[in-house]
Amino acid sequence: MMFKTGLRHLREGFKGTLRNGWMSFAAISAVTITLLLVGVFALVMFNINEISDNVENDVEIQVFITRTADENSVEQLGQNIEEVPGVSTVTFSSKEDELQKFQDQLGDDAAAYGTVEKDNPLHARYIVKAQDPTELEEVAKSVGSLDNVDDVKYGKDYIDKMFAFFNGIRIGGLALIVGLTLMAMFLISNTIKMTIFSRRREIEIMRLVGAKNSFIRWPFFIEGLLLGMLGALVPILVIYFGYDVAYSALQPSLDQLNSDIFKLIDPSTLTVQVSLVLLALGAFIGIWGSTTSLGRFLKI
């Protein structure tokens, strides 16, 4: 009996979708357009978030060591830095290393500074990374208070502005995605509400002859589910194949920057995740629209 009832609900759900062709098309179109925008913005936001995380994690604290510090003092300073709460990695760069980096940056003009090798004016330094980029300032203050530290630099003003910028992008992107989702829910709810309104007499008759709310609700539940999932189909295809094309076109150009910061997320994982989210979102929007729109007609 339950099996036959389930088949009846499925059959009526499919019939309702086909019977109300233009309204179903309008609902599917509303979901398609909105979820396509949601999917595109989600891909952009995931990649921006990936790049921003890479930038934040790449931020370093430059700890300049006093020139008078001997070898033991320098080694002890390194150990003290490692013990500072929040420190992730500590890398030592000698005065000779610093001079070599400076000469490499000069290129052909480096020969003019060859005489400084005998009396190297540069500082040896420790390059420190924090476990949490947002705690960079606290780590820098703690490291700066240690003995034999001449100066600590990490570009405070620049870092603060950069973190604020990335946080603004994250919050703005999330708000936009939520707004688009709510808009899709509103559109499909109104479209399904028009469909149900045109069938209100049928619903009232079923209620009067003793049909339970669940019996009336299930076909509309299935209809909303179908509308939402069909609406998600085109966005999923566009996202799945479109992002692969975009990745193949953009990543080679970013690779020329010779930086691990500007890396897009691999399509093999991202597109599947976003597609599943869009499918689930489409199904949820369709179910929500049908159930909320049907509620008032189940009261006599």
Side-chain angles (χ1 to χ4, degrees), residues 10-298:
L10 285 172
R11 184 172 61 253
E12 290 299 317
F14 278 97
K15 281 183 178 180
T17 302
L18 296 174
R19 185 189 306 132
N20 301 279
W22 283 109
M23 289 186 179
S24 296
F25 177 76
I28 291 172
S29 299
V31 176
T32 296
I33 294 171
T34 310
L35 289 186
L36 183 59
L37 292 173
V38 170
V40 170
F41 277 106
L43 289 178
V44 172
M45 288 308 304
F46 277 127
N47 279 288
I48 289 178
N49 191 62
E50 178 76 9
I51 292 174
S52 64
D53 285 344
N54 292 339
V55 172
E56 291 173 355
N57 292 326
D58 197 56
V59 173
E60 300 172 338
I61 302 172
Q62 308 294 328
V63 183
F64 296 91
I65 306 169
T66 55
R67 293 193 183 92
T68 56
D70 57 30
E71 186 175 339
N72 290 333
S73 299
V74 171
E75 185 176 347
Q76 183 60 49
L77 174 60
Q79 295 175 1
N80 293 339
I81 293 174
E82 290 177 349
E83 295 173 358
V84 171
V87 169
S88 175
T89 61
V90 180
T91 306
F92 177 69
S93 180
S94 66
K95 294 169 60 175
E96 292 74 20
D97 293 333
E98 292 297 300
L99 180 60
Q100 185 62 51
K101 292 177 184 177
F102 177 66
Q103 291 175 332
D104 291 341
Q105 291 174 353
L106 291 176
D108 295 337
D109 297 328
Y113 294 86
T115 57
V116 302
E117 294 181 2
K118 298 179 180 179
D119 187 18
N120 190 341
L122 300 178
H123 288 268
R125 61 173 175 164
Y126 280 106
I127 303 166
V128 180
K129 289 189 176 183
Q131 295 174 355
D132 184 353
T134 60
E135 298 179 356
L136 208 64
E137 183 175 1
E138 291 77 6
V139 173
K141 287 180 179 179
S142 299
V143 172
S145 65
L146 299 175
D147 294 335
N148 295 309
V149 173
D150 184 71
D151 193 13
V152 173
K153 293 182 179 179
Y154 67 97
K156 180 180 183 305
D157 293 338
Y158 168 76
I159 297 300
D160 290 343
K161 290 179 180 178
M162 182 184 69
F163 285 172
F165 174 73
F166 285 138
N167 287 333
I169 290 178
R170 291 186 181 110
I171 295 172
L174 180 61
L176 184 61
I177 291 174
V178 171
L180 288 171
T181 303
L182 292 176
M183 183 176 72
M185 294 170 68
F186 174 78
L187 289 173
I188 196 171
S189 175
N190 281 346
T191 305
I192 294 176
K193 190 178 296 183
M194 294 173 62
T195 303
I196 295 174
F197 184 78
S198 66
R199 298 162 64 183
R200 66 191 183 282
R201 190 177 300 277
E202 174 189 343
I203 296 171
E204 290 174 358
I205 293 173
M206 293 174 69
R207 289 286 290 124
L208 289 172
V209 298
K212 294 182 179 180
N213 286 350
S214 58
F215 185 85
I216 301 172
R217 192 186 300 273
W218 266 104
F220 291 98
F221 178 92
I222 294 170
E223 188 174 335
L225 177 64
L226 286 173
L227 293 175
M229 295 181 71
L230 289 172
L233 184 59
V234 172
I236 287 173
L237 293 174
V238 172
I239 293 300
Y240 191 85
F241 294 104
Y243 181 67
D244 188 64
V245 173
Y247 180 88
S248 300
L250 294 175
Q251 191 57 57
S253 299
L254 295 176
D255 288 338
Q256 294 179 4
L257 299 175
N258 294 322
S259 174
D260 292 332
I261 294 176
F262 299 101
K263 294 287 186 182
L264 300 178
I265 303 176
D266 190 86
S268 61
T269 55
L270 182 59
T271 52
V272 173
Q273 293 173 354
V274 173
S275 296
L276 291 174
V277 170
L278 290 179
L279 184 62
L281 193 57
F284 170 76
I285 290 173
I287 293 170
W288 181 88
S290 63
T291 52
T292 54
S293 302
L294 186 63
R296 61 177 291 230
F297 296 103
L298 296 181

